[in-house]
């Protein structure tokens, strides 16, 4: 087998990041091999709770105004946020690896033209080449371990075109007492 394997150390950090974000269900095909574990995030999620407070306090859940981009490493967390926004009747778009190019482009266009106030995206699917300058706020509910990916993610909102805003803010939501610190 010549398939590249993710080092166990990186896999452990990734799993701990998932556990720091929400309640989880863990399936362990091989109890002793963490690389085989499948983790599904579910409510409750303190990260989603904090995000909803940020959005509410900033006026992003009601009325017109600039948008907010929300980034996460894991699409399970994006799903949890989307469910919470849908329950609050907040129009939002999603960019993960699950959409076609046309669906991704439509979500981005709806966000950029102000139809959707919130754009959720995974770092892997949305960190390179996309213009999210309609946002004056980026909330990282999970930061990638890679500094390059983190800088690319910030570059979606803080780039040429973002000068339409007085400022662009970036908030990292970090779970205290976990590997994220």
């Amino acid at each position: 087998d010549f398939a590249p394997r993710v080092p166990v150390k990186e896999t452990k950090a990734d799993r701990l990041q998932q556990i720091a974000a929400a309640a989880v269900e863990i399936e362990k095909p091989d109890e002793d091999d963490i690389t085989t574990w499948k983790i599904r995030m579910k409510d409750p999620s303190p990260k989603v709770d904090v995000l909803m407070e940020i959005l509410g306090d900033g006026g992003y859940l009601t009325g017109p105004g600039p948008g907010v981009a929300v980034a996460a490493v894991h699409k399970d967390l994006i799903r949890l946020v989307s469910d919470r926004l849908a329950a609050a009747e907040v129009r939002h778009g999603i960019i993960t690896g699950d959409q076609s190019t046309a669906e991704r482009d439509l979500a981005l266009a709806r966000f950029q033209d102000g139809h959707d106030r919130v754009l959720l995206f995974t770092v892997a699917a949305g960190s390179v080449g996309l213009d999210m300058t309609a946002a004056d706020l980026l909330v990282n509910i999970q930061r990638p371990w890679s500094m390059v990916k983190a800088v690319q993610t910030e570059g979606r909102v803080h780039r040429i075109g973002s000068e339409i805003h007085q400022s662009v803010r970036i908030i990292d939501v970090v779970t205290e007492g976990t590997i994220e610190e």
Side-chain angles (χ1 to χ4, degrees), residues 65-79:
V68 59
V70 179
V73 173
H74 296 95
K75 64 181 161 187
D76 257 6
L77 192 51
I78 294 295
R79 178 188 46 81

Side-chain angles (χ1 to χ4, degrees), residues 2 10 15 28 32-33 53 60 64 76 90 92 106 111-112 116 118 127 130 134 136 161 169 173:
F2 295 102
E10 288 178 32
R15 300 295 182 255
K28 301 177 183 178
D32 299 322
D33 183 1
E53 287 178 26
Y60 293 97
D76 257 6
V90 175
H92 62 283
L106 179 60
F111 177 70
Q112 285 294 99
D116 292 339
V118 180
S127 66
L130 299 182
D136 72 344
R169 296 174 301 139
V173 178

Side-chain angles (χ1 to χ4, degrees), residues 23-170:
V24 296
E25 293 176 355
I26 305 174
E27 180 185 322
K28 301 177 183 178
D30 181 345
E31 181 81 25
D32 299 322
D33 183 1
I34 194 169
T35 63
T36 67
W37 294 10
K38 294 182 179 22
I39 295 183
R40 180 168 170 24
M41 289 183 245
K42 61 181 188 173
D43 270 326
S45 170
K47 292 227 180 208
V48 178
D49 294 342
V50 168
L51 173 66
M52 294 302 287
E53 287 178 26
I54 292 168
L55 297 178
D57 292 347
Y60 293 97
L61 298 179
T62 59
V68 59
V70 179
V73 173
H74 296 95
K75 64 181 161 187
D76 257 6
L77 192 51
I78 294 295
R79 178 188 46 81
L80 289 175
V81 174
S82 177
D83 290 348
R84 191 80 65 90
L85 290 172
E89 299 181 356
V90 175
R91 291 190 314 243
H92 62 283
I94 300 174
I95 297 176
T96 67
D98 294 338
Q99 288 91 13
S100 68
T101 302
E103 291 169 323
R104 181 199 67 199
D105 291 348
L106 179 60
L108 188 59
R110 288 172 54 97
F111 177 70
Q112 285 294 99
D113 73 14
H115 184 273
D116 292 339
R117 193 75 186 278
V118 180
L119 182 63
L120 312 173
F121 68 99
T122 59
V123 170
S127 66
V128 178
L130 299 182
D131 181 347
M132 301 177 189
T133 54
D136 72 344
L137 173 64
L138 168 65
V139 180
N140 290 304
I141 53 176
Q142 286 179 319
R143 275 188 84 78
W145 299 114
S146 162
M147 180 58 78
V148 171
K149 289 181 182 177
V151 169
Q152 288 172 336
T153 299
E154 292 175 5
R156 298 312 93 222
V157 298
H158 192 256
R159 61 185 296 142
I160 294 172
S162 64
E163 63 275 356
I164 62 171
H165 307 293
Q166 188 172 20
S167 65
V168 174
R169 296 174 301 139
I170 299 171

